[in-house]
Amino acid sequence: VTQDGLCRYNEFLHPDCEEFKTSPFNHPVRLQETQEFHKCLLSMRDKIVEDTGTRVNHLTIQRYPANSKSHHNAHSDKTESWVEDAPFFVLSFGHSRTFRLGNRPTPGLFSNAQVEDEIALHSSSLLKVPFETNKKYKHDVPHRSNEDPEPRYSIVFRQMKLTRGRALWRIARDRREHDLAIILELFRCTVQSA
């Protein structure tokens, strides 16, 4: 994560649920400017914010091994912890893979008839998936018919909500800054008129 006080990706799950206990999303790492790899990730985040205006603050890295079994089943990302209407972004490195959108009522990969769109994810490409697209369709990364010469990495950037306490603190801080600005402006006007 890129800031403290964010909702965890699976925070909406019950803490006794096995998925909550084992999910790497519930063991976040705070990125630090002092570590080279972290600085690189933060630089990528800053570029997405600058280019798209979406204030991404969370990322996950998915590794697809260099074999024909590597895939990701059809799913829609869980959005309960996201900022409302925020898209997510997929930055790809390594061997090209296909990102498919479609409709599938059960877990697994799409059949050809279920695929609505296919997008090639080439190395260094950035894919923006709008919030509504994630709600309407599932997405997958299918098996490849041959061995990939190298692994592929996806870095997925999201905009997560602040936890309630952090959000209230930020509102209070913003309110204090707003009040202070008004007080300073009143003081300037008083001094100028005196």
Side-chain angles (χ1 to χ4, degrees):
V1 296
T2 61
Q3 69 185 72
D4 294 323
L6 297 180
C7 288
R8 291 181 179 173
Y9 185 76
N10 286 337
E11 191 168 80
F12 57 89
L13 294 173
H14 191 278
D16 293 335
C17 169
E18 191 61 29
E19 186 180 356
F20 182 89
K21 292 176 185 174
T22 60
S23 172
F25 292 118
N26 290 325
H27 305 283
V29 173
R30 176 74 156 85
L31 297 182
Q32 305 293 325
E33 288 281 350
T34 56
Q35 297 185 31
E36 279 307 307
F37 183 59
H38 289 194
K39 280 172 66 172
C40 183
L41 292 170
L42 289 167
S43 173
M44 292 175 202
R45 183 268 328 253
D46 292 346
K47 182 71 173 146
I48 290 171
V49 171
E50 178 184 320
D51 289 352
T52 70
T54 303
R55 300 194 52 78
V56 293
N57 55 17
H58 179 275
L59 63 91
T60 55
I61 301 173
Q62 173 75 37
R63 181 180 188 270
Y64 294 87
N67 63 50
S68 59
K69 297 177 183 148
S70 168
H71 72 284
H72 206 307
N73 282 335
H75 67 286
S76 291
D77 285 13
K78 297 171 181 155
T79 60
E80 288 87 341
S81 299
W82 296 12
V83 168
E84 186 69 26
D85 295 327
F88 70 91
F89 301 86
V90 181
L91 185 58
S92 300
F93 294 99
H95 200 272
S96 295
R97 293 298 294 262
T98 302
F99 180 94
R100 301 187 304 182
L101 293 168
N103 289 300
R104 181 177 173 81
T106 58
L109 293 170
F110 296 125
S111 68
N112 287 338
Q114 295 169 320
V115 174
E116 298 281 335
D117 198 6
E118 292 187 341
I119 302 157
L121 300 176
H122 300 293
S123 192
S124 301
S125 67
L126 180 67
L127 172 68
K128 176 183 177 180
V129 181
F131 188 85
E132 286 302 317
T133 300
N134 182 60
K135 279 178 59 176
K136 183 175 180 180
Y137 299 103
K138 294 186 183 321
H139 55 272
D140 76 0
V141 177
H143 295 279
R144 291 184 53 93
S145 58
N146 57 349
E147 295 281 320
D148 291 332
E150 59 187 14
R152 176 181 174 276
Y153 295 89
S154 290
I155 305 176
V156 181
F157 294 85
R158 298 178 181 88
Q159 186 178 12
M160 306 299 279
K161 295 176 188 173
L162 293 171
T163 58
R164 182 162 164 67
R166 180 78 173 176
L168 291 174
W169 173 84
R170 180 169 278 183
I171 290 167
R173 184 203 63 198
D174 291 349
R175 182 72 192 163
R176 283 192 309 273
E177 289 175 358
H178 175 73
D179 291 346
L180 182 58
I182 291 172
I183 292 167
L184 288 173
E185 187 59 33
L186 288 172
F187 177 74
R188 280 192 203 105
C189 289
T190 305
V191 169
Q192 288 174 351
S193 63

